[in-house]
Structures are given as structure tokens and as C-alpha cells.
Amino acid sequence: MFDLSFIILPLTLLATAVMAASASVQAHRADMDAFGATVLAIATGMGGGTLRDLFLGNTPVFWITDLRYMMVAIPVALLGFILASRMPSGNGQRLAMLLHLDAIGLALFTLTGLQVALAAGVHPMMAIVLGCITGTAGGMIRDLLCNMTPSLLKEDLYATISLVGGGIYIALLPSLGETPAFAISFGTMLLARIIVLARTRTSDAA
Amino acid sequence: MFDLSFIILPLTLLATAVMAASASVQAHRADMDAFGATVLAIATGMGGGTLRDLFLGNTPVFWITDLRYMMVAIPVALLGFILASRMPSGNGQRLAMLLHLDAIGLALFTLTGLQVALAAGVHPMMAIVLGCITGTAGGMIRDLLCNMTPSLLKEDLYATISLVGGGIYIALLPSLGETPAFAISFGTMLLARIIVLARTRTSDAA
Amino acid sequence: MFDLSFIILPLTLLATAVMAASASVQAHRADMDAFGATVLAIATGMGGGTLRDLFLGNTPVFWITDLRYMMVAIPVALLGFILASRMPSGNGQRLAMLLHLDAIGLALFTLTGLQVALAAGVHPMMAIVLGCITGTAGGMIRDLLCNMTPSLLKEDLYATISLVGGGIYIALLPSLGETPAFAISFGTMLLARIIVLARTRTSDAA
């Protein structure tokens, strides 16, 4: 945790911001107002970590004791909502940008969730599962609140990438140590997700 | 807590009853039977406080250790369901009555949730958030179970009133003490909600 | 717990498997892929017990500390999904089989949930409620994730059977002891559910 801690916190806050931004764009599509977008952004950005903390019994959950998560998510959500309402629709470039930022969030939340689970003394196999929950549950809650079937359940290469990334981290941790394992796992997840997104765009365009 | 405790408990039970009644009317609209209405009423009346307790780690959650909440919610839900199935539809007066009772529930749950959070040693800013969750999450769960996008996400003057009311309580508490802060915050939230409801009805009628 | 413990564990794992299998069939209908089916199966098979553990404060929740639940649910879900995708549709016999297996799950989860609640020192009336939550919440979560109104809310003889079965167990426990109370309650719930299913099929066929 030593070498990484000073980089993990800003990255986690960045991931929370990214998830919040993507949620507020979706809120705009679902005809919500600025307040609804903020609630949705908070639920999306903190939902995965909240479930992880509840399942582990880490209470009060992380965002109650550390106000910074709310203080990052709320302005980002409002900003995202304002930008989304001024965007010309049908362009798709901003959606693509958000999907790539969302991929950063998936990779970061997976790894920070996994580390919290390991620190709680959980079996490594289960820590991978809890990392995946941390990385993906926020998006599931977002889709439920928007009254949609969670896209996670229909897109197999989202959560699978999280599980594989968690497995890579656990496999490399004993020999390489935390920082290299984190970096390789993070890079692999990000790259895999970018390839999936590129293929989806290509097949959509065809 | 001294002066208020003897009035807060009956008011909380009243709020639970009110939320349960409003849920059972919605259950009737959604074609549920009496049992479904009861489940929906329990989830609506106790959902907000349950989430608050889970997030804080106050377990077992309040309704497990205090049976009175169930014993109030269940008969009220059944009564509400029976009345709703005998009501002539299209009148709107009973819906209006329920919306006003729901406003009482919103104000009461916000303040009792806030007090529970403060008693747990939470930062005042976060206590306002937990008060808002206590006041509004029951209705969100109700809408989710009815397979609707939560109205909270589309109606900005519901949760906002809860947050403002919580802010008033926190602001007045140091100088005025608990009872006046409670009374002023409660009155403000109720009045604000009644004004919003009156305006909505006027604009619907126009 | 003595006489029963060696039979309860395999039965609980069987119930988890049964719930997982039924969820994966529903996942196939809802156009999910194999991964979505697995997630849905896990949420269905473990959702009820997870809520029970969270409400009681039994954390980490059961499936984090006992890996066997995941190790049963995942292969069963995949198997169920593969079988469902190769089944000719419109036959109905396999659906009937699953509904009967689901009845076993309802009865077993109700009783094991009730026992966990009693062991946590909960009032017997509330233990019946927690048994019902353990038995039925998994199916509610499954329906929510499939973006359907939970069938529990529209079918009164599902959760009611769970509550009655719990009541029978609590009523017989002092005089008969655990094993006979468990057996009679289990048999009653299973029989009642089979009768309801038979009547529903007859009235559908008519």
C-alpha cells in the first residue's frame, strides 16, 4: 500500500468523478433534472464500493467517513449534466470519451475494491469477486434506477474483464509486489476494454 | 432528545403508517394483491431507515429490534389497500390527502434520520445526506418495486426540500437547541412541500 | 442444530443450486448471455440470505466466508443456461420441473433463514419475517434485475406459504424439537406450493 497509496487516492477520486460524469450524461438522456442527475451520479460512483463495504461489514461505509467522495461527485455530476444538456446530440464522440473514462473507472474500482477485500482478510478468490462487485455494481444500480435491464447482464466483456484483471493482480502479487501487479493488471484491463469498445464501434459503423 | 423523544416516537410511527398507506394505494394502482401491497408498504415505510442503519452499521436494523414498526405498517397497509379498492377513481381528493401525509413522512423521517446519524458521530454535512436518504429512499424502493423510474429522480423539489430542512436543523441546533430547531425545520419542510403540491395541482388544473 | 446440521448444509447448497438453475433459465428468456446468467443466478441464489445477514449485522455475509456457495452456484448456472439454450421452447415440462425445485428452495431458505435469525437472538415473530425474506428476496432481486415487477408482489401464495411455514416451525419447536418441527414445516410448505402450482396449471390449461 506504501508506494501506491499516494496515487490510489487521487485515482479513486478520479474514478468516482468519471463514473459520476457518465451517470449524469445518462440522466440527461433519461429526462431527469439536475437533482436527479446528481443522485444518479452519487449512486453510480459510490454504489460498488458501498455494496463491498456492506458485504464485508466495513461500516460506516467509506463515503460517510470521508467527505471527499461526495465533494468530488456532486460538482462533477452537475458539470456533466450541464455539458450534456448543451451538447449537440448524434455526434457520439463525447459518448466514446465517456466510455473510455468509464473503462478507467472499471479498472481502478476493481483494483481498489480487491485491495480493500484483501486487507479485510478475505480469501483471494473472493477478493476477486468483491473487486468485480466494486467495479461493476455502480453501473448496475445506475441502470436499475433508470428502469433499464443492467447492461452488465447483456455485455459479457465488461465484468469478465474485471474478473480477469483481478485474477492477474492476485497471480502477480506474490512475485512482483503491489505496484507492478497493480500497473500490469490496470493496463491489461484498460487495453482489453479499449479493444472491445473499438470493435463494437467498428461493427456498429459497418 | 429529552423534550422531543416522547413526541418523536409516535410521529415516526405515524410517518411509517403514512408511507405505508401511500404505498398500498400505489400497489392497488399497480394491480397488486393485498399481500403485495403489504410488502410494498413495509419496504416503503422502512426502506429509508433501513438503508441509513446499514450504511452506518447500526445492526440489527431498527425494525428487527422494535416490533412496533411492523405492527403499525401491516394493518395500515391492509386498511389502505381495502379503502383504495373501494374508492371511486378519478376524484383526486384522496390522492391529494395522501400526498400531504407523505409530506409529513418526508419531514419526519428526514429529521429522525438526521438525529440518528448525529448520534452515531457522523459529520453534520453527512448527517444531512443521511437524513435525506432516510426521508426519500423508501419512496425510491417503492418505485423500483413497481418497475417505475423513481419519481425522486424527476422531481427536484422533493429531495431538495429534505436537504434544505436538514441544513436548517443543523444551522439552528447550536443556538436554539433541539426542540425549536426540530419544530422550525419540520414546519419549513412541510410548508415548502405543501406549496409545491398546491402549485403542481394548479398547473395541472389549468 | 445437531441432528439437522449434516442434512441442512447439503440441502442449502441444493437450494442455492436450484435457485441458480431457475434464474439461468429466466436469464435465457431475457436474452442475457452466459455471463449475465451467472450473475443473475448468484444474485438469486444468495440474495435472500445476503439481505438477512445485512439486516442482522452478520458480516462478512455468508458467501464471503464460505466459498462453497459460489462454487455450487456458478457451474449450476452455466449448466442451466446451456441446457436452456438447447431446449425446445413451448414444452413447459422443464419449467414445471424448475417451479417444483424452486418450491424446495423456498421451503429450505425459509427454514435456514429462520434458524439463523433465532440463533442471532431475534424475537420469534421477527425470525419468521427474516425467514420469509431469506426465502423470497432472491426471486425479487432476480425480477428487478430482469426489469420486471417482482412476481412476489402479484402472487399472494408464494410469500404467504413462507410465513405460514415459519409460523408452523415456531409453534412446533418448543414441544417437538428441531428435527420434527423442521420436517413438518418443510413438508407443509412443499405440499402447499405443489398444490398451488397444480391448480395454476389446471386453470391455465382449461
Side-chain angles (χ1 to χ4, degrees):
Chain A
M1 295 290 273
F2 231 1
D3 304 341
L4 283 171
S5 58
F6 72 96
I7 197 171
I8 284 181
L9 180 69
L11 284 177
T12 308
L13 288 170
L14 173 70
T16 306
V18 161
M19 293 289 200
S22 100
S24 69
V25 171
Q26 186 161 337
H28 190 260
R29 289 183 179 183
D31 245 359
M32 294 176 188
D33 56 33
F35 185 84
T38 309
V39 173
L40 195 73
I42 292 170
T44 308
M46 303 179 201
T50 301
L51 275 187
R52 175 205 62 210
D53 282 357
L54 290 178
F55 291 162
L56 286 171
N58 279 354
T59 52
V61 298
F62 69 99
W63 50 266
I64 289 182
T65 44
D66 188 342
L67 295 176
R68 283 173 297 188
Y69 290 95
M70 285 280 177
M71 287 164 71
V72 162
I74 293 171
V76 167
L78 289 172
L79 196 67
F81 186 77
I82 291 167
L83 289 175
S85 52
R86 298 196 176 177
M87 271 179 202
S89 56
N91 177 312
Q93 287 196 355
R94 287 159 185 105
L95 178 63
M97 193 190 73
L98 278 171
L99 286 172
H100 285 84
L101 288 172
D102 179 275
I104 298 176
L106 174 70
L108 279 175
F109 279 150
T110 296
L111 288 167
T112 54
L114 205 157
Q115 290 181 321
V116 169
L118 287 177
V122 162
H123 188 285
M125 295 296 288
M126 196 47 70
I128 295 174
V129 172
L130 284 164
C132 181
I133 290 172
T134 312
T136 63
M140 288 185 75
I141 293 169
R142 179 195 62 211
D143 292 344
L144 278 181
L145 290 176
C146 289
N147 202 18
M148 294 161 40
T149 299
S151 59
L152 169 72
L153 298 177
K154 302 204 174 183
E155 196 199 351
D156 53 354
L157 286 170
Y158 193 76
T160 307
I161 286 172
S162 168
L163 290 172
V164 170
I168 290 172
Y169 181 81
I170 294 290
L172 298 182
L173 189 58
S175 51
L176 297 186
E178 267 195 340
T179 310
F182 190 102
I184 294 171
S185 167
F186 179 80
T188 308
M189 281 190 273
L190 201 57
L191 188 67
R193 191 76 196 129
I194 287 169
I195 292 171
V196 169
L197 290 172
R199 289 205 175 168
T200 312
R201 292 189 81 195
T202 312
S203 67
D204 283 357
Chain B
M1 296 291 276
F2 231 0
D3 305 340
L4 283 171
S5 59
F6 72 96
I7 197 172
I8 284 181
L9 180 68
L11 284 177
T12 309
L13 289 170
L14 174 69
T16 307
V18 161
M19 292 288 200
S22 100
S24 68
V25 171
Q26 186 162 335
H28 190 259
R29 288 183 179 183
D31 245 0
M32 294 176 187
D33 56 34
F35 185 84
T38 309
V39 172
L40 195 73
I42 291 171
T44 308
M46 304 179 199
T50 301
L51 275 187
R52 176 203 61 210
D53 282 356
L54 290 178
F55 291 161
L56 286 170
N58 278 353
T59 51
V61 298
F62 69 100
W63 49 265
I64 288 182
T65 43
D66 188 342
L67 295 176
R68 283 173 297 187
Y69 291 94
M70 285 281 176
M71 286 164 74
V72 162
I74 293 171
V76 167
L78 289 172
L79 196 67
F81 185 77
I82 291 166
L83 288 175
S85 52
R86 298 196 177 178
M87 273 180 202
S89 57
N91 177 312
Q93 286 196 356
R94 286 161 187 105
L95 178 63
M97 193 191 72
L98 278 171
L99 285 173
H100 285 85
L101 289 172
D102 180 274
I104 299 176
L106 175 70
L108 280 175
F109 279 149
T110 296
L111 288 166
T112 54
L114 205 157
Q115 290 182 321
V116 169
L118 286 177
V122 163
H123 188 285
M125 295 297 288
M126 197 46 70
I128 295 174
V129 172
L130 286 164
C132 182
I133 290 172
T134 311
T136 62
M140 288 185 74
I141 294 169
R142 179 195 61 210
D143 292 344
L144 278 182
L145 290 176
C146 289
N147 202 17
M148 294 160 42
T149 298
S151 59
L152 169 72
L153 298 176
K154 302 205 172 182
E155 195 197 352
D156 53 353
L157 287 170
Y158 193 77
T160 307
I161 287 173
S162 168
L163 291 173
V164 170
I168 289 172
Y169 181 81
I170 294 291
L172 298 181
L173 190 59
S175 53
L176 297 186
E178 267 195 341
T179 310
F182 189 102
I184 294 171
S185 167
F186 179 80
T188 308
M189 281 190 273
L190 200 58
L191 189 66
R193 190 77 196 128
I194 286 168
I195 292 171
V196 169
L197 291 173
R199 290 205 174 168
T200 312
R201 290 190 82 195
T202 312
S203 68
D204 284 357
Chain C
M1 295 291 274
F2 232 0
D3 305 342
L4 283 170
S5 59
F6 72 97
I7 197 172
I8 284 180
L9 180 68
L11 284 178
T12 308
L13 289 170
L14 173 69
T16 306
V18 161
M19 292 288 200
S22 101
S24 69
V25 171
Q26 186 161 336
H28 190 259
R29 289 184 177 181
D31 245 359
M32 294 175 186
D33 56 33
F35 184 84
T38 308
V39 172
L40 196 73
I42 291 170
T44 308
M46 305 180 199
T50 301
L51 274 187
R52 176 204 61 210
D53 282 357
L54 290 178
F55 291 161
L56 286 171
N58 278 354
T59 51
V61 297
F62 69 100
W63 49 265
I64 289 181
T65 43
D66 188 342
L67 295 176
R68 283 174 295 187
Y69 291 94
M70 284 281 176
M71 287 165 72
V72 163
I74 292 170
V76 167
L78 289 172
L79 195 67
F81 186 78
I82 292 166
L83 289 176
S85 52
R86 299 196 175 178
M87 273 180 202
S89 56
N91 176 311
Q93 286 196 356
R94 286 159 185 106
L95 177 62
M97 193 191 73
L98 278 171
L99 285 172
H100 285 84
L101 288 173
D102 179 273
I104 297 176
L106 175 70
L108 280 175
F109 278 150
T110 296
L111 288 167
T112 54
L114 206 156
Q115 291 182 321
V116 169
L118 286 177
V122 162
H123 188 285
M125 294 296 289
M126 197 47 69
I128 295 174
V129 172
L130 285 163
C132 181
I133 290 172
T134 312
T136 63
M140 287 184 76
I141 294 169
R142 179 196 60 209
D143 292 345
L144 278 181
L145 290 176
C146 289
N147 202 19
M148 294 161 41
T149 299
S151 59
L152 169 73
L153 298 177
K154 302 205 173 183
E155 195 198 353
D156 53 353
L157 287 169
Y158 193 76
T160 307
I161 286 171
S162 168
L163 290 172
V164 170
I168 289 172
Y169 181 81
I170 293 291
L172 297 182
L173 189 59
S175 52
L176 296 187
E178 267 194 341
T179 310
F182 190 102
I184 293 171
S185 167
F186 180 80
T188 308
M189 281 190 273
L190 200 57
L191 189 65
R193 191 74 196 130
I194 287 169
I195 291 171
V196 169
L197 290 173
R199 289 206 175 167
T200 312
R201 292 189 82 196
T202 311
S203 67
D204 284 357

